[in-house]
Amino acid sequence: MEGGGYIEVATTRPETMLGDTAVAVHPEDERYRELVGRFALLPLVKEERKSLKGDRVSRRIPIIADRRVKKEFGTGAVKVTPAHDPLDFEIGKEHHLPFVKVIDERGIINENGGDFEGLERFKAREEVVKKLKELGLLSKVEKIRHSVGKCYRCKSTVEPLVSVQWFFKVSDKKIREPSLKVVLEGIEREEERLERVEFIRGEAITLRILKEGEILLFEEVEEIAGRREDGTYYLYYQGEPREVFNEFYAKSKVLNGRRGNYEVIKEGHTLKILRDGEVIETFSGEVSVDVGGRILGIRREERPVKVKETSKVNFIPKNWENFYKPWIENLKDWCISRQIWWGHRIPVWYCKDCKKENVFSDEDFENIYDKLIFNLIADGKIREEFSVEEVVKVLNSKNFLKPHMSNLDFYREYVYRGQNVGISESNLFLYLNNYSKNYQYLKEKKKWRFLLRCKACGSTNLKREEDVLDTWFSSALWPFGVFKEDERRKLFPTDLLITGFDIIFFWVARMIFTSLYFYKVEPFKDVYIHALIRDEFGRKMSKTLGNVIDPLDIIEKYGADSLRFTLASLTVQGRDIRLSEKSFESAKHFANKLWNASRFVIMNTPKDLLSELPSVSDLKTEDRWIITLLNETVREVNESLKSYEFSRACQKLYDFVWNNFCDWYIEMVKGRVRERDLGALYTLNYVLDKVLRLLHPFMPFITEEIWDNMPTKDEESLALKEYPTFIPQEVFKEDKERVEELKDFISTARYLRSVIGLKPSQRVKLYYRGAEKIVEGFEETVKELARLSELIPTQERPKNTVAGFGKSFSLYLEVPQSIDLKALKENYKRRERKVLEELRRVEEKLSNEEFLKKAPKEVVEKNKRIREELRGELEKIRSFLEVLDAN
RNA sequence: AGGCGCGUAGCUCAGUUGGGAGAGCGCCGCCCUUACAAGGCGGAGGUCGGGGGUUCGAAUCCCCCCGUGCCUACCA
């Protein structure tokens, strides 16, 4: 200490003491309170060191107080090296300490290190300790464990040191606030747009409005329909409304008898009726407008519309907002300098004479040639010294962003729109030679040099900044580089960005704030954060660990479709995927199942099926059942995809194809197929066709291959076919219920077979009671699927039979010879126990006054129904057990 | 240390406004029934991590604990 005494500090990096410019203590630390404001004399260093700014720095350094110092750590006093430690850097800035750099970029002590100059940093550490010991200034050496930043490539310890870098000032409110708002609540904006409307006159235009499955209106008209850019349709009626409006007349008092120009606009599920441009009626339901037949004419109109839109970025899953939010809230200025050899160079030139930093852009030049050449240099496409041939060659070569055009075309189209940019060797040569003072010809090299002039002193003695831009900064510039203004208006904001969570900071956030700042719109509406794929033990896949699954190996073993389907079905929002090779097995089996089912359909379908298509009336109950289930699957898959629930979509498709289409429908119609029943063949093809379309995004190859063999296919690829959507007319509730009952009946019969140990080849008689309606018309199907010799209605249990029960029926299966019924008895006892348990729970519920009072009516009713079912079942089981016991 | 998740059948996981516990694989029994043995039919298996609370009612909502994973910060 100045004036005698010592202050003791602890450090893990003794060599940095050469750059210390203060000692810090906690403001409330009693031990050091007296010392704050006094000065210490730093040992080992020269009397004068040099700060970054070039000032002289004495070895007389202040004792300062700072809250960031922890009293209980070390000695409670910490040496401050602002130039070589991140926290010290912060403290140094706050207390206006000088920054003394003692280690250079090569890791060697510089001239500030005095006697230690020229030593490598680790060697210097040893030497410093040795010297301190010699001087008696070393109190003690302790082992301490702490983490140190390492280079991810060469593993050498990272040296923290200050240097001059370029920053992008994003800590500003103008950037931070909108970036938060756009994600958390959305930002209102108003836009004026020219809406282009097409009016189409067609031969046959069908207008259909359905509400809850009921047809409100179905008309075929010959009128003018219109289609907007966004794909919504218009019907347009000029003058007096025609017959087609009779329906509306009845429903709408407003419309009644009024003349005017009527328009019908379909927007999703709503249909608007406009008179003279004003909405007078809105219908909602499944609306479809189809232009069929020949189009007789198209007229186009443009009308200005003011559109109020909300800029909103949705993270999917939503939780990631919480990841984004704190980062934006603590946004620090973004260091965009990178000291690497590739990347966009920073467009800054330093004047060697007056030291000014010059930022140039092509706007600094008036002539188009100057602008072009400047851009080529700034982009690194040509060097600062260049030949005319090089320029022309570059301008004529393919553009990176738009490979179908040359660089010159790109400049013409995207950068200097409307300007006549013609360039050739001769006119460029003429220009450089005669018309500009901005170029210097270097005779011996036969090259030109563009003379950039310092904006302060006019000197041409400039040196370009060596640093390049952070790649993420370049990425953030993407929307500003690839769109022409009219393209941008159409394509921006984009719908969806898919990326990993670790990219939220790197790119997502940065694209959001640059877009909001420069374009006032969000860059994308949805950000889907995909799952990370881990190994079967939950570890990240890494090459060093050797737990990486190579997709190419998987494709080799299981097929590309299995890989794709598996990944999709394991993708549950917000959850990482644990992937082991086993996972692919099931998808492979599914693909195989689909293949075989398709084989069955295709080999049984006559080539000319299309020419004799049946009408809906030719379809049977089971056809309408499977079509209903298909339709429900279509709805669920669409909903799932819309909300990015890929796993659910896969599950629904898997279940439908395997458990309903293959295991039940195909089995049911095999008899009809043998007889070339058109309804069955049609349904098989209809369902398979839809299934292929539905599955195509998940299993593109196999579906395309099967599609190619379908009789219904045409020249177009399956990939281009319309994706199925829910069709409300194709819901057949009664047929669905009937077949579900039938399935229950057959399953019960099968269960009885299995329980008495019948082999599939053994056909026996089945008696039934209370199932006349279920069986009616399905006798052959039941006999086939339950492997029966006869199917006989009865009122009582015949001898030598075992009984089974459904919700509304009893079955009695013939027992061919003396079979041990022990297993059966055990099964029924187990079922009795289960039913009793369930019954107990339901009865408990139903005897609870509060439940009856407060629960919704449907729930109470449902529980009553369940109770009745269970009671019935219990009764049947018990009576059957009695019979068995008697035997 | 703080934040965010996750603990459901032997294993991997679904379960979307709280209302009779599900899938795949594995396991057990029977079967080559002409789309498919990479298959068919049937079956077993779960106090939904533990405790408390809200509610007529909790796998589901709230609190605490245990286990586990990730992210961020700190480490003189």
Side-chain angles (χ1 to χ4, degrees):
Chain A
M1 292 296 304
E2 199 176 46
Y6 294 98
I7 185 163
E8 191 177 318
V9 299
T11 180
T12 51
R13 303 200 54 208
E15 72 281 10
T16 61
M17 68 175 283
L18 304 171
D20 285 356
T21 54
V23 171
V25 298
H26 194 274
E28 280 151 26
D29 194 331
E30 299 296 334
R31 297 171 290 175
Y32 300 110
R33 182 164 283 175
E34 297 295 308
L35 298 182
V36 174
R38 290 179 54 194
F39 288 83
L41 294 171
L42 186 63
L44 306 194
V45 299
K46 297 188 294 189
E47 192 50 52
E48 273 184 14
R49 294 170 292 168
K50 229 178 178 181
S51 81
L52 273 191
K53 285 184 184 159
D55 301 330
R56 293 168 179 178
V57 181
S58 157
R59 57 185 281 252
R60 183 174 170 268
I61 60 176
I63 314 294
I64 57 172
D66 193 288
R67 302 210 148 266
R68 281 164 283 206
V69 178
K70 287 179 204 129
K71 287 192 280 188
E72 62 287 355
F73 206 97
T75 63
V78 55
K79 62 193 244 0
V80 181
T81 326
H84 292 286
D85 182 276
L87 187 65
D88 292 3
F89 177 83
E90 297 291 327
I91 295 174
K93 271 202 302 189
E94 212 172 290
H95 295 265
H96 306 288
L97 300 173
F99 286 54
V100 176
K101 195 166 156 183
V102 291
I103 303 172
D104 68 14
E105 280 75 2
R106 298 164 303 163
I108 290 169
I109 305 294
N110 66 13
E111 65 280 2
N112 280 329
D115 295 343
F116 302 92
E117 183 178 352
L119 287 179
E120 190 274 333
R121 54 184 171 155
F122 298 116
K123 182 74 184 160
R125 180 177 302 171
E126 288 169 26
E127 294 298 319
V128 165
V129 173
K130 210 163 111 190
K131 189 79 181 179
L132 285 172
K133 216 172 187 173
E134 275 174 35
L135 296 172
L137 294 171
L138 186 69
S139 148
K140 61 180 169 184
V141 178
E142 261 178 33
K143 286 212 166 172
I144 185 168
R145 219 186 141 79
H146 71 136
S147 41
V148 171
K150 295 245 171 91
C151 172
Y152 78 100
R153 285 216 155 141
C154 65
K155 310 293 178 214
S156 48
T157 305
V158 171
E159 184 63 45
L161 53 84
V162 282
S163 57
V164 177
Q165 307 284 327
W166 288 92
F167 286 81
F168 184 19
K169 190 169 175 51
V170 292
S171 58
D172 197 288
K173 271 205 307 201
K174 276 186 283 186
I175 298 238
R176 195 171 55 219
E177 283 172 6
S179 304
L180 264 184
K181 204 174 169 199
V182 78
V183 167
L184 300 182
E185 46 190 293
I187 301 170
E188 292 280 334
R189 61 170 206 271
E190 195 169 276
E191 266 182 28
E192 176 132 342
R193 273 212 304 249
L194 272 185
E195 185 184 57
R196 225 174 285 164
V197 187
E198 286 181 348
F199 296 97
I200 303 169
R201 187 189 290 275
E203 256 179 355
I205 296 159
T206 312
L207 173 64
R208 190 165 41 210
I209 308 170
L210 285 146
K211 196 168 187 178
E212 287 150 17
E214 277 180 45
I215 295 175
L216 274 183
L217 178 72
F218 182 94
E219 287 290 343
E220 294 208 346
V221 293
E222 288 176 35
E223 265 296 351
I224 300 167
R227 187 174 58 200
R228 283 199 276 191
E229 279 173 333
D230 60 5
T232 56
Y233 284 98
Y234 284 64
L235 283 193
Y236 187 78
Y237 300 90
Q238 256 180 327
E240 205 172 343
R242 302 263 300 257
E243 264 178 55
V244 68
F245 277 132
N246 288 343
E247 279 281 332
F248 294 138
Y249 269 50
K251 293 183 195 304
S252 163
K253 285 174 195 150
V254 191
L255 201 65
N256 203 3
R258 304 281 288 270
R259 287 165 162 274
N261 286 299
Y262 286 90
E263 283 175 81
V264 183
I265 301 176
K266 176 194 174 244
E267 280 170 324
H269 291 293
T270 60
L271 191 83
K272 290 181 190 161
I273 314 284
L274 291 85
R275 187 179 58 234
D276 300 329
E278 270 186 49
V279 181
I280 52 163
E281 191 86 1
T282 310
F283 295 87
S284 61
E286 293 290 330
V287 179
S288 68
V289 180
D290 306 305
V291 182
R294 272 190 309 148
I295 288 174
L296 301 171
I298 298 178
R299 180 166 58 85
R300 292 189 177 86
E301 246 180 44
E302 281 193 342
R303 11 170 141 169
V305 279
K306 266 201 180 157
V307 194
K308 260 204 179 160
E309 302 232 24
T310 307
S311 288
K312 173 86 172 77
V313 175
N314 301 304
F315 279 93
I316 297 149
K318 203 173 182 326
N319 299 3
W320 291 108
E321 275 181 12
N322 297 332
F323 190 66
Y324 172 88
K325 199 180 141 200
W327 193 78
I328 293 286
E329 278 168 348
N330 301 314
L331 207 50
K332 295 202 176 89
D333 287 331
W334 174 13
C335 177
I336 53 174
S337 283
R338 289 294 178 275
Q339 291 78 44
I340 43 182
W341 60 271
W342 50 274
H344 292 121
R345 283 179 68 181
I346 294 173
V348 170
W349 280 260
Y350 300 98
C351 179
K352 285 183 179 170
D353 294 330
C354 74
K355 308 292 180 205
K356 181 177 164 67
E357 295 152 1
N358 292 278
V359 180
F360 288 109
S361 82
D362 60 2
E363 285 174 11
D364 293 316
F365 312 101
E366 275 178 23
N367 191 284
I368 193 80
Y369 286 79
D370 294 344
K371 285 175 188 279
L372 264 180
I373 287 167
F374 171 79
N375 269 331
L376 292 176
I377 293 171
D379 283 355
K381 290 198 171 79
I382 58 173
R383 306 225 162 210
E384 297 194 10
E385 292 172 4
F386 57 87
S387 69
V388 169
E389 296 79 45
E390 279 164 8
V391 174
V392 173
K393 194 181 163 198
V394 167
L395 286 175
N396 288 331
S397 60
K398 243 203 279 183
N399 183 267
F400 178 72
L401 289 172
K402 309 273 172 181
H404 63 278
M405 50 173 62
S406 68
N407 283 320
L408 181 60
D409 289 337
F410 180 80
Y411 280 117
R412 201 182 276 142
E413 283 270 313
Y414 286 81
V415 188
Y416 308 115
R417 252 170 315 140
Q419 294 202 45
N420 186 17
V421 189
I423 210 158
S424 69
E425 277 186 39
S426 52
N427 58 20
L428 183 61
F429 187 79
L430 270 176
Y431 177 77
L432 294 173
N433 235 351
N434 302 329
Y435 297 94
S436 175
K437 288 166 194 150
N438 292 339
Y439 299 87
Q440 180 187 10
Y441 187 63
L442 309 162
K443 267 183 196 157
E444 63 282 8
K445 292 184 184 167
K446 295 188 175 167
K447 291 202 170 185
W448 295 86
R449 197 162 87 88
F450 192 18
L451 297 178
L452 291 170
R453 290 196 166 81
C454 174
K455 289 177 179 178
C457 70
S459 163
T460 59
N461 192 14
L462 303 181
K463 184 177 185 296
R464 186 165 187 187
E465 169 64 59
E466 294 277 331
D467 287 355
V468 297
L469 291 170
D470 179 12
T471 43
W472 295 110
F473 185 84
S474 297
S475 303
L477 294 176
W478 172 79
F480 313 100
V482 295
F483 294 128
K484 286 192 272 190
E485 187 53 18
D486 52 335
E487 282 179 339
R488 207 266 300 170
R489 279 175 177 279
K490 255 191 238 169
L491 303 172
F492 214 74
T494 55
D495 292 322
L496 171 66
L497 177 77
I498 302 180
T499 189
F501 77 91
D502 46 346
I503 306 302
I504 290 176
F505 301 154
F506 287 140
W507 200 6
V508 177
R510 284 156 180 181
M511 283 170 94
I512 288 174
F513 59 60
T514 46
S515 291
L516 284 176
Y517 189 77
F518 293 112
Y519 283 157
K520 312 292 176 218
V521 297
E522 74 279 20
F524 26 69
K525 298 181 192 304
D526 287 352
V527 182
Y528 180 81
I529 304 297
H530 66 236
L532 228 60
I533 296 181
R534 300 173 178 277
D535 72 3
E536 57 184 311
F537 306 107
R539 300 174 303 188
K540 270 191 187 177
M541 289 195 177
S542 89
K543 283 182 190 164
T544 21
L545 256 179
N547 59 348
V548 175
I549 294 180
D550 186 339
L552 292 179
D553 290 344
I554 299 301
I555 290 169
E556 187 77 25
K557 278 195 216 166
Y558 301 93
D561 286 335
S562 303
L563 172 68
R564 197 177 166 92
F565 189 84
T566 302
L567 289 178
S569 53
L570 291 179
T571 297
V572 179
Q573 280 182 31
R575 208 167 170 140
D576 288 348
I577 295 175
R578 278 202 195 187
L579 196 61
S580 72
E581 276 213 32
K582 284 184 293 189
S583 323
F584 302 104
E585 199 92 14
S586 140
K588 183 178 135 187
H589 292 176
F590 180 54
N592 190 49
K593 191 74 180 174
L594 179 69
W595 180 261
N596 282 311
S598 307
R599 208 163 76 93
F600 175 79
V601 174
I602 291 164
M603 70 192 235
N604 283 299
T605 303
K607 292 280 171 290
D608 56 353
L609 175 78
L610 281 176
S611 62
E612 37 186 331
L613 275 186
S615 69
V616 180
S617 56
D618 293 331
L619 297 184
K620 296 211 163 120
T621 297
E622 66 266 33
D623 302 332
R624 288 190 292 268
W625 163 75
I626 195 72
I627 286 172
T628 304
L629 289 197
L630 169 72
N631 207 18
E632 285 170 357
T633 306
V634 165
R635 183 174 56 201
E636 278 166 343
V637 167
N638 275 298
E639 277 170 7
S640 307
L641 290 181
K642 206 172 172 189
S643 49
Y644 304 97
E645 292 173 275
F646 304 113
S647 168
R648 194 179 130 206
C650 289
Q651 219 173 297
K652 294 291 170 196
L653 284 167
Y654 184 100
D655 181 61
F656 173 77
V657 171
W658 202 312
N659 300 334
N660 285 304
F661 187 54
C662 291
D663 286 350
W664 285 102
Y665 184 71
I666 288 183
E667 294 304 328
M668 278 180 177
V669 297
K670 271 183 177 165
R672 290 167 66 197
V673 167
R674 241 174 275 129
E675 287 155 20
R676 293 268 175 265
D677 178 283
L678 276 182
L681 290 172
Y682 163 79
T683 310
L684 283 169
N685 277 280
Y686 178 79
V687 174
L688 182 58
D689 175 284
K690 296 252 178 164
V691 161
L692 293 175
R693 292 167 191 241
L694 287 166
L695 274 172
H696 182 264
F698 304 97
M699 305 189 122
F701 296 102
I702 194 172
T703 48
E704 185 81 55
E705 180 63 28
I706 295 168
W707 167 258
D708 203 44
N709 289 299
M710 291 276 291
T712 50
K713 68 138 184 182
D714 54 29
E715 290 309 304
E716 223 173 40
S717 153
L718 178 58
L720 299 172
K721 288 288 164 197
E722 203 179 322
Y723 203 67
T725 49
F726 183 69
I727 303 168
Q729 303 94 295
E730 294 190 355
V731 175
F732 307 103
K733 211 176 148 211
E734 281 175 26
D735 297 291
K736 185 184 161 187
E737 281 166 8
R738 273 207 68 185
V739 174
E740 291 303 327
E741 279 176 339
L742 187 69
K743 279 167 66 181
D744 192 27
F745 185 95
I746 294 167
S747 293
T748 309
R750 283 170 168 176
Y751 171 70
L752 290 177
R753 290 186 61 97
S754 160
V755 108
I756 63 171
L758 283 182
K759 295 188 175 182
S761 52
Q762 285 174 284
R763 290 194 176 243
V764 291
K765 291 177 190 163
L766 179 76
Y767 304 87
Y768 62 89
R769 195 177 66 182
E772 287 71 19
K773 279 196 180 146
I774 298 174
V775 173
E776 193 191 340
F778 285 102
E779 291 83 0
E780 287 312 305
T781 309
V782 172
K783 275 162 81 175
E784 207 42 55
L785 296 191
R787 323 273 322 148
L788 305 172
S789 57
E790 280 180 75
L791 186 58
I792 308 156
T794 184
Q795 286 308 314
E796 294 179 5
R797 188 177 83 91
K799 287 199 168 155
N800 297 324
T801 57
V802 289
F805 319 104
K807 283 176 187 171
S808 61
F809 58 82
S810 302
L811 302 185
Y812 309 103
L813 190 78
E814 179 192 5
V815 182
Q817 64 267 9
S818 58
I819 273 180
D820 184 15
L821 297 176
K822 221 171 78 189
L824 186 67
K825 222 188 279 182
E826 274 169 23
N827 271 325
Y828 275 99
K829 283 200 170 136
R830 195 169 45 237
R831 264 176 84 173
E832 188 193 12
R833 279 198 301 277
K834 271 193 173 171
V835 171
L836 271 173
E837 171 60 22
E838 280 181 46
L839 193 59
R840 191 186 59 75
R841 277 209 302 241
V842 177
E843 280 178 339
E844 200 175 323
K845 238 185 229 184
L846 286 170
S847 61
N848 185 337
E849 289 294 322
E850 295 291 307
F851 173 74
L852 296 175
K853 242 192 300 186
K854 292 183 183 168
K857 221 167 56 186
E858 314 87 76
V859 177
V860 176
E861 288 307 311
K862 194 177 167 190
N863 275 283
K864 281 185 179 163
R865 207 173 59 239
I866 292 167
R867 181 176 61 186
E868 292 321 304
E869 277 170 28
L870 290 173
R871 279 178 179 169
E873 198 174 342
L874 184 68
E875 198 183 320
K876 287 178 201 161
I877 291 172
R878 282 184 167 162
S879 69
F880 185 57
L881 276 171
E882 270 172 40
V883 176
L884 281 178
D885 286 337
N887 283 356

